[in-house]
Amino acid sequence: MPEPPVPFRRARLLRLGAAAVVLLAVATYVAVQYATGGRTAPRCTVVSANGDGARYEFTAQQAVNAATISAVGTSRGMPERAVTIALATALQESGLRNIKYGDRDSLGLFQQRPSKGWGTEKQIMDPAYASARFYEHLEKIPGYSRLPLTVAAQRVQRSGYPQAYAKHEPDATLLSAALTGRAAASLTCEGRPSGAGAARTGDPARVRDALVRDFGKDLAPVADRGQHSVRVPVARTMDGAGGGTQKRGWELAQWAVANSAALRIERVSYAGREWTAGGSGGAWHRTGAGGDGEAAGAPGGAAEVRIVTGQ
């Protein structure tokens, strides 16, 4: 029997190759669905506390980076406006992703360059370090909090596109209001629900280390290994009885929610409200254990944030 013509053989090989690609894609999809319990990658949402319907949706990994940027800023005593400037800058430079590439030798959240004295490659790829370096430069700018955001960001970054930061200001404002604690219960994440498999196992020590990394050693969280939880005392501030405490508490609580997927956090409780991974779309709900105005020290009140990891 004569050999089939070359074009026919090529067409048959192409069809077989296409079929193999489809089968591989289906197998990959099934594997991912099995590993994640049929869920897509967890996402987070910030909603406006002003009732104007504004919202910003982003990935769990972007939420981790945003939370670090905010925590490092407030721990340095920087105002919410500084956090907004930093978040808008990172949104423009990297999309809140800790990327290992960029223009020339630019790296990380803020696309900082080792050759320009921002630090070593390893340092710049550490989000906490990169954030601290950004704030270090920002606070040297006289009156930065009164400047237009794009002007303040440009004086730090020296970008070739100085007007690009402005378009991120609305989203950065929503994020900073939530992550600094001013807008209570405004950040939600889907997280991973219980029963999603062994991947849900968490380590309270990891949560404690991450808190100290972002907020500093003065935070003093307590990891309860036996109970798979972390208790974070909420210190009073100079804002007056209750007001500053509540803001700090919500800052810590919403940091925990932002880190829920990365640190295998299942539940966060503060001031009579609770967030549960996978529950009601990741929304906060009242527990009846205490109210937002409950005195610090009362059970379920504002004395501490409780973070429970997967077991």
Side-chain angles (χ1 to χ4, degrees), residues 30-277:
V30 171
V32 169
Q33 294 299 302
Y34 177 80
T36 63
R39 290 170 54 85
T40 58
R43 296 187 64 81
C44 301
T45 304
V46 175
V47 296
S48 172
N50 300 326
D52 54 11
R55 61 191 288 124
Y56 177 69
E57 296 184 4
F58 54 144
T59 68
Q61 187 55 54
Q62 288 172 306
V64 170
N65 292 328
T68 293
I69 290 170
S70 178
V72 170
T74 60
S75 296
R76 292 176 65 92
M78 306 292 281
E80 184 180 329
R81 178 62 175 173
V83 175
T84 300
I85 295 169
L87 288 168
T89 301
L91 280 165
Q92 170 58 29
E93 297 291 354
S94 66
L96 283 175
R97 295 177 176 88
N98 196 29
I99 54 179
K100 299 180 180 179
Y101 57 87
D103 179 41
R104 288 168 284 189
D105 60 337
S106 299
L107 297 166
L109 290 173
F110 297 94
Q111 289 292 278
Q112 295 158 336
R113 299 180 60 191
S115 64
K116 295 298 183 180
W118 286 94
T120 66
E121 291 185 10
K122 182 178 180 180
Q123 288 173 326
I124 290 172
M125 290 303 296
D126 176 357
Y129 172 90
S131 300
R133 290 287 283 158
F134 179 88
Y135 289 120
E136 180 184 323
H137 282 71
L138 180 63
E139 62 188 352
K140 292 178 181 178
I141 299 170
Y144 71 84
S145 62
R146 298 187 299 274
L147 294 173
L149 184 146
T150 190
V151 173
Q154 172 63 5
R155 290 189 182 177
V156 174
Q157 297 294 107
R158 307 294 182 185
S159 170
Y161 305 93
Q163 300 303 317
Y165 304 108
K167 65 178 178 287
H168 298 289
E169 185 165 4
D171 293 334
T173 300
L174 283 177
L175 283 170
S176 62
L179 292 169
T180 62
R182 178 170 61 83
S186 59
L187 170 65
T188 60
C189 291
E190 294 172 349
R192 290 291 190 200
S194 300
R200 274 306 309 161
T201 302
D203 183 354
R206 284 188 63 215
V207 176
R208 180 194 177 280
D209 291 345
L211 281 161
V212 172
R213 177 200 66 207
D214 284 2
F215 289 97
K217 295 180 180 179
D218 293 337
L219 190 64
V222 179
D224 297 322
R225 287 183 176 275
Q227 301 180 34
H228 273 263
S229 66
V230 176
R231 293 177 289 108
V232 191
V234 181
R236 290 186 178 277
T237 71
M238 298 302 292
D239 293 349
T245 301
Q246 290 285 324
K247 182 177 179 182
R248 179 64 163 176
W250 280 111
E251 177 182 15
L252 294 166
Q254 295 188 133
W255 176 95
V257 172
N259 281 271
S260 58
L263 295 176
R264 311 306 187 201
I265 293 169
E266 282 194 348
R267 192 164 70 252
V268 181
S269 304
Y270 178 65
R273 296 194 194 184
E274 186 172 83
W275 168 90
T276 304

Side-chain angles (χ1 to χ4, degrees), residues 291-310:
D292 288 346
E294 188 171 339
E304 65 181 24
V305 174
R306 187 163 186 260
I307 303 167
V308 179
T309 64

